[in-house]
Amino acid sequence: MRDLIETNFGLVLLISCVVGLALPSLAAVPDASASVALAILTYASCFKLKDGGFSEINWWNVSVFYVLRFIILPIILLLIAKQFFPAYAAAIFLLAILPTAVSSPAFANMFGGRVPPAFAIVILSTSLAPFLITLQCSLVLADASVTPTPLPLFRTLTFCVFVPMLLYFITHNFARLGKVMYDNVKIISIVLVAFVIALVIAKQREFILDNTAGIIIPILLTLVCYIIFLACGWLFTKGKDRETRISFATCSMFNNVALGVSVALLHFPQNVILFVAVSEMAWAVLPMMFRWFLGKAK
């Protein structure tokens, strides 16, 4: 069963969408449980840091990519969305500023990429996320109808990011715990992400079922966003070896949508929550999309 889940995680995530629609009782689970699940996910993923390889990381290259992907690109997408899809502008912006998924190094390795640069992007984007997301929502989004209050937003992000990191540095020398977490980080990640997806879908179940046609545009927009994210990472590394291009494309495309769910549930209005719920569905098919792309890309 474990091997089946780990080798078919895209399918598992799609099944979690169905579970969310089929089990309305999940909606009774407190919103804060998504943040708890994300904190556990961050904690578990930290144990992969011992894989090392940091000496070969080009931190300047990673920093330039970070600025382009997580600061400049979201602003560009926000301006475009305000012109053509104003109802979804805030949600698209939130989707774009989310840091790369903490499981990206594992994804990069699975797709044939290099792990060290993936680790570097995860560390940089995740560590700065509480500050960047809070500042960008306050200064760039600047829409009173959707912009969350900065301090509560920062507290949520701190709980999801910094607290697990601190706990990791306190406990990572416990040999037995470290081995268990390191050996099981992939299955833990898949199960937790699947739980978060099922939870947010369940909380939006009534609206989704009553407005099935109304989610078509959000689904298409989220897929377009993920294609843009993929293109950003792939084009940024043009001229580099294929393994490096795969790593940057993976980190650009696979964002921490679980963090987006936690933030949206606690701090954003209904329309943003719905968009993030739909983005969970799109995120679930990304592994299959990326495999197809790599089969065609030169």
Side-chain angles (χ1 to χ4, degrees):
M1 179 62 72
R2 173 181 174 141
D3 290 341
L4 183 65
I5 292 175
E6 291 186 347
T7 55
N8 297 278
F9 66 92
L11 179 60
V12 172
L13 300 185
L14 286 175
I15 292 174
S16 70
C17 295
V18 177
V19 171
L21 293 174
L23 296 178
S25 57
L26 274 177
V29 177
D31 293 349
S33 62
S35 298
V36 174
L38 178 63
I40 297 172
L41 174 59
T42 303
Y43 174 71
S45 298
C46 285
F47 283 88
K48 294 296 290 183
L49 293 174
K50 74 176 187 179
D51 284 346
F54 296 109
S55 60
E56 61 180 274
I57 294 174
N58 184 333
W59 285 99
W60 169 254
N61 201 40
V62 168
S63 299
V64 172
F65 173 73
Y66 173 81
V67 171
L68 291 175
R69 167 60 182 85
F70 297 100
I71 298 178
I72 296 177
L73 180 61
I75 295 174
I76 293 174
L77 292 179
L78 176 64
L79 295 176
I80 294 173
K82 282 184 174 180
Q83 291 296 318
F84 298 100
F85 305 99
Y88 302 106
I92 290 173
F93 183 70
L94 175 61
L95 189 68
I97 62 176
L98 295 175
T100 190
V102 290
S103 53
S104 290
F107 288 166
N109 181 64
M110 182 175 61
F111 291 123
R114 298 174 62 239
V115 172
F119 269 129
I121 297 171
V122 168
I123 292 170
L124 185 61
S125 65
T126 302
S127 299
L128 295 180
F131 306 102
L132 180 70
I133 294 177
T134 304
L135 286 174
Q136 285 196 288
C137 285
S138 300
L139 302 179
V140 179
L141 186 56
D143 184 339
S145 64
V146 294
T147 302
T149 305
L151 185 57
L153 175 60
F154 183 77
R155 282 201 298 262
T156 298
L157 292 165
T158 297
F159 174 76
C160 293
V161 176
F162 290 148
V163 171
M165 286 183 170
L166 177 61
L167 184 60
Y168 164 74
F169 284 113
I170 294 174
T171 63
H172 75 283
N173 286 325
F174 298 165
R176 182 173 297 180
L177 173 64
K179 185 177 188 311
V180 170
M181 298 301 291
Y182 181 85
D183 292 343
N184 294 281
V185 64
K186 187 173 181 179
I187 187 69
I188 290 173
S189 299
I190 294 172
V191 170
L192 289 174
V193 171
F195 164 74
V196 172
I197 290 176
L199 176 65
V200 72
I201 294 297
K203 289 182 177 293
Q204 301 299 312
R205 178 179 181 273
E206 297 302 324
F207 186 90
I208 291 173
L209 293 179
D210 292 340
N211 300 272
T212 305
I215 67 172
I216 294 177
I217 292 179
I219 287 177
L220 293 176
L221 286 176
T222 53
L223 287 174
V224 169
C225 286
Y226 281 121
I227 291 171
I228 293 173
F229 300 159
L230 166 61
C232 179
W234 191 258
L235 294 176
F236 177 79
T237 50
K238 185 177 181 180
K240 303 286 187 180
D241 59 271
R242 182 177 175 84
E243 290 76 15
T244 298
R245 302 191 78 181
I246 290 174
S247 293
F248 275 78
T250 300
C251 291
S252 183
M253 186 183 197
F254 288 88
N255 62 351
N256 195 336
V257 73
L259 178 61
V261 169
S262 301
V263 169
L265 282 175
L266 296 173
H267 302 288
F268 280 85
Q270 172 68 31
N271 64 322
V272 176
I273 297 174
L274 176 64
F275 191 94
V276 173
V278 170
S279 74
E280 294 270 17
M281 299 179 186
W283 201 95
V285 303
L286 292 186
M288 291 174 278
M289 287 177 53
F290 196 48
R291 285 189 186 280
W292 178 86
F293 170 79
L294 293 177
K296 300 293 184 180
K298 301 297 183 181

